[in-house]
């Protein structure tokens, strides 16, 4: 089955700096890659997703890049703010968004004011 | 759009007891998913429904676990004869899947189960 590895497990940045989180996946049939943000006591919240027919997608301060050949994708957050502090999860799925998601292990992002 | 709702938010029970959780998906979402998340880990897929049909079950879903979505709206997840290892957050998600597009999965805030 699919295996998703996520790095780093923890990331500390200064407010205003950029943060990058990287994931690799094993199944070349995966074609949908969402990113979720999870705050303490809450469920995962979708922040951005990308499908395998595009290489990059941006939404304000957040961007995701996908390299299908290398089977890795990354989340980029620019101009980080203290409210960006949370655990971020990448995931992968076959059959676009409708099928089961396989999650990475998570990255705890801490943005220091 | 009121979001995915899960009840209860917390459940504490003794080992060996049965527990049942409920999930109400976003209105008109035809797919409903259950995941389990242990501390410090990413969610792990358990099962999902399209309308009332259970389409896929993970090997994680032992015979002590059963899920239903009888009318294609809310779903229940029951765990029989609970064990210490069942302690986790149980997350429900829903999405709209059709012939033209598949929408992302949106998660509820989960039910945290603690086994004494």
């Amino acid at each position: 089955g699919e295996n998703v590895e996520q790095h780093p497990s923890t990331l500390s940045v200064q407010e205003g700096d950029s943060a990058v989180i990287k994931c690799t996946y094993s199944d070349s049939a995966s074609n949908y890659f969402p990113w979720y943000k999870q705050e303490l006591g809450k469920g995962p919240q979708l922040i951005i997703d990308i499908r395998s027919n595009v290489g990059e997608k941006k939404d304000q301060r957040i961007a995701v890049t996908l390299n299908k050949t290398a089977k890795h994708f990354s989340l980029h957050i620019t101009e980080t703010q203290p409210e960006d502090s949370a655990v971020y999860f990448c995931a992968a799925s076959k059959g676009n968004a409708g099928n089961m998601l396989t999650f990475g292990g998570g990255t705890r992002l801490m943005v220091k004011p | 759009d009121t979001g995915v709702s899960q009840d209860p938010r917390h459940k504490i029970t003794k080992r060996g007891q049965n527990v049942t959780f409920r999930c109400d998906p976003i209105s008109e979402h035809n797919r409903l998913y259950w995941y389990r998340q242990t501390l410090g880990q990413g969610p792990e897929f358990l099962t999902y429904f399209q309308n009332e049909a259970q389409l896929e079950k993970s090997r994680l879903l032992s015979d002590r676990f059963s899920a239903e979505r009888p009318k294609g709206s809310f779903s229940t997840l029951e765990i029989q004869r609970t064990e210490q290892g069942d302690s986790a957050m149980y997350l429900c998600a829903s999405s709209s899947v059709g012939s033209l597009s598949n929408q992302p999965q949106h998660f509820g805030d989960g039910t945290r189960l603690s086994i004494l």
Side-chain angles (χ1 to χ4, degrees):
Chain A
E2 174 67 279
N3 182 50
V4 178
E5 301 275 348
Q6 183 172 346
H7 300 281
S9 57
T10 60
L11 179 58
S12 181
V13 299
Q14 206 68 37
E15 181 177 0
D17 287 350
S18 295
V20 180
I21 303 170
K22 299 183 179 182
C23 289
T24 60
Y25 61 98
S26 61
D27 191 339
S28 56
S30 289
N31 56 8
Y32 174 70
F33 308 93
W35 286 88
Y36 288 86
K37 175 184 181 182
Q38 188 172 30
E39 296 175 329
L40 200 60
K42 301 279 192 179
Q45 178 188 9
L46 179 74
I47 55 171
I48 196 167
D49 59 5
I50 191 168
R51 297 171 196 263
S52 61
N53 56 347
V54 298
E56 183 175 1
K57 184 176 178 180
K58 277 187 178 180
D59 183 3
Q60 299 182 340
R61 296 186 297 110
I62 294 173
V64 57
T65 58
L66 171 65
N67 183 327
K68 286 189 293 182
T69 304
K71 290 190 281 188
H72 67 71
F73 56 112
S74 301
L75 177 71
H76 305 252
I77 306 174
T78 58
E79 300 170 22
T80 53
Q81 301 165 3
E83 49 266 39
D84 294 329
S85 297
V87 180
Y88 290 80
F89 291 98
C90 63
S93 171
K94 293 184 278 192
N96 291 310
N99 291 347
M100 59 170 280
L101 296 172
T102 301
F103 284 84
T107 296
R108 180 171 298 280
L109 174 64
M110 294 169 283
V111 180
K112 294 180 284 188
Chain B
D1 181 353
T2 57
V4 177
S5 177
Q6 293 190 244
D7 183 70
R9 291 296 315 280
H10 305 274
K11 180 71 177 177
I12 301 173
T13 192
K14 293 182 179 179
R15 183 169 53 90
Q17 297 295 304
N18 299 344
V19 293
T20 300
F21 312 138
R22 176 180 171 124
C23 171
D24 287 271
I26 293 171
S27 179
E28 297 181 0
H29 275 190
N30 56 357
R31 283 212 178 166
L32 186 149
Y33 312 78
W34 286 99
Y35 291 83
R36 181 172 71 185
Q37 185 178 27
T38 53
L39 210 58
Q41 304 295 318
E44 296 174 294
F45 170 77
L46 293 178
T47 188
Y48 83 88
F49 295 83
Q50 171 134 337
N51 300 314
E52 65 275 9
Q54 190 172 17
L55 294 189
E56 190 170 351
K57 291 196 290 187
S58 162
R59 281 170 289 180
L60 290 176
L61 213 67
S62 76
D63 55 5
R64 296 185 299 106
F65 288 68
S66 63
E68 293 183 340
R69 194 183 183 199
K71 297 182 180 178
S73 56
F74 73 91
S75 175
T76 58
L77 177 68
E78 181 184 16
I79 310 175
Q80 296 182 326
R81 305 181 303 280
T82 52
E83 301 174 354
Q84 292 283 355
D86 297 332
S87 294
M89 174 82 85
Y90 289 84
L91 293 163
C92 178
S94 71
S95 72
S96 179
V97 172
S99 56
L100 295 178
S101 71
N102 294 344
Q103 297 303 309
Q105 295 179 32
H106 296 274
F107 283 81
D109 286 336
T111 294
R112 179 164 294 285
L113 174 65
S114 298
I115 307 297
L116 301 177

